[in-house]
Amino acid sequence: ETGVTQTPRHLVMGMTNKKSLKCEQHLGHNAMYWYKQSAKKPLELMFVYNFKEQTENNSVPSRFSPECPNSSHLFLHLHTLQPEDSALYLCASSPEDRAHNEQFFGPGTRLTVL
Amino acid sequence: DQQVKQNSPSLSVQEGRISILNCDYTNSMFDYFLWYKKYPAEGPTFLISISSIKDKNEDGRFTVFLNKSAKHLSLHIVPSQPGDSAVYFCAASAIRNTGRRALTFGSGTRLQVQP
């Protein structure tokens, strides 16, 4: 238990569906991250939020829309996804995004797009 | 172009022996390096880190070595235990032009420790 939870753990959706992934951290951290992990590839950073402000968007397609209402919660809204978007989506948090802080990861959401 | 590379996708070691996991990087701006361990159905968990001003950091059975001139780091696990069987990710940190840090990950090495 790392103090970072993600729901749902598994999600199957069609290309026309709209769904959301949720992440919650109980560590009092101020930075939160979304990563994508495709099979046999490195974790790819998608978005970074620091004190609720988006500080990085790593050229992510607009069909992925993040939302950070407060420092403890992070959402990833999904719409009109493609089959190649099927992957493990990991959320992480750290005290903030300027120092040498290790990141604490949630268990991930395994997404399958049909 | 991958800036952090783990060229061995898998490694098998006997219990009690040493496991050596390797990682190479290309970006000289990386100044902090981390190793994460991942079990199936769980997120990566932080294992050990090293600053670029050091060449070795030790924590129990885990030691990380950094060779800056070769842009190479390695994780040594001695003695290896069956519970160490997992995927190990190397990650590197640099300050971006925004003044903020981000981690760049390798693709992972799956370690299997045989009883």
Side-chain angles (χ1 to χ4, degrees):
Chain A
E1 178 63 46
T2 63
V4 181
T5 58
Q6 289 186 244
T7 54
R9 294 294 306 275
H10 300 272
L11 179 61
V12 179
M13 59 187 288
M15 291 191 287
T16 58
N17 291 158
K18 288 185 181 181
K19 296 286 184 185
S20 295
L21 310 185
K22 179 183 176 182
C23 176
E24 184 173 358
Q25 58 96 1
H26 311 276
L27 301 168
H29 290 166
N30 294 304
M32 296 188 78
Y33 310 78
W34 278 118
Y35 287 89
K36 174 184 177 182
Q37 188 185 17
S38 304
K40 299 191 179 167
K41 286 188 177 180
L43 276 73
E44 299 171 46
L45 180 64
M46 300 174 72
F47 300 103
V48 182
Y49 279 81
N50 198 49
F51 290 93
K52 301 190 299 177
E53 178 187 336
Q54 187 180 113
T55 56
E56 181 140 359
N57 176 338
N58 203 18
S59 303
V60 181
S62 59
R63 57 186 184 271
F64 295 90
S65 174
E67 179 191 359
C68 188
N70 55 61
S71 292
S72 299
H73 294 87
L74 186 64
F75 296 88
L76 189 62
H77 305 298
L78 316 171
H79 63 99
T80 59
L81 294 193
Q82 305 297 312
E84 59 264 28
D85 296 322
S86 299
L88 180 68
Y89 288 85
L90 290 160
C91 172
S93 73
S94 71
E96 48 93 13
D97 67 350
R98 292 181 184 269
H100 292 311
N101 294 308
E102 64 262 21
Q103 296 174 16
F104 293 76
F105 284 83
T109 295
R110 174 71 60 188
L111 174 67
T112 303
V113 182
L114 301 176
Chain B
D1 182 34
Q2 275 187 253
Q3 296 185 54
V4 178
K5 294 183 183 178
Q6 294 178 256
N7 292 317
S8 299
S10 63
L11 175 68
S12 183
V13 170
Q14 286 293 122
E15 181 179 4
R17 305 294 287 267
I18 185 171
S19 295
I20 301 176
L21 296 103
N22 294 303
C23 179
D24 296 293
Y25 63 95
T26 57
N27 187 347
S28 57
M29 299 303 292
F30 290 140
D31 61 357
Y32 193 71
F33 303 88
L34 306 91
W35 283 94
Y36 281 82
K37 173 173 153 178
K38 184 181 185 302
Y39 292 118
E42 295 182 14
T45 55
F46 169 73
L47 195 56
I48 192 169
S49 62
I50 187 167
S51 165
S52 60
I53 62 173
K54 295 187 175 181
D55 55 18
K56 177 182 174 181
N57 188 27
E58 192 172 349
D59 183 3
R61 296 185 297 114
F62 302 92
T63 303
V64 56
F65 294 92
L66 175 63
N67 182 334
K68 279 183 63 179
S69 61
K71 293 193 175 69
H72 177 84
L73 65 154
S74 60
L75 174 68
H76 293 211
I77 307 174
V78 181
S80 302
Q81 300 174 353
D84 296 329
S85 298
V87 177
Y88 288 78
F89 292 97
C90 170
S93 172
I95 293 182
R96 303 198 177 205
N97 53 15
T98 58
R100 301 180 184 277
R101 291 192 162 271
L103 292 181
T104 302
F105 284 83
S107 52
T109 297
R110 181 177 301 279
L111 173 66
Q112 184 89 26
V113 180
Q114 308 284 354

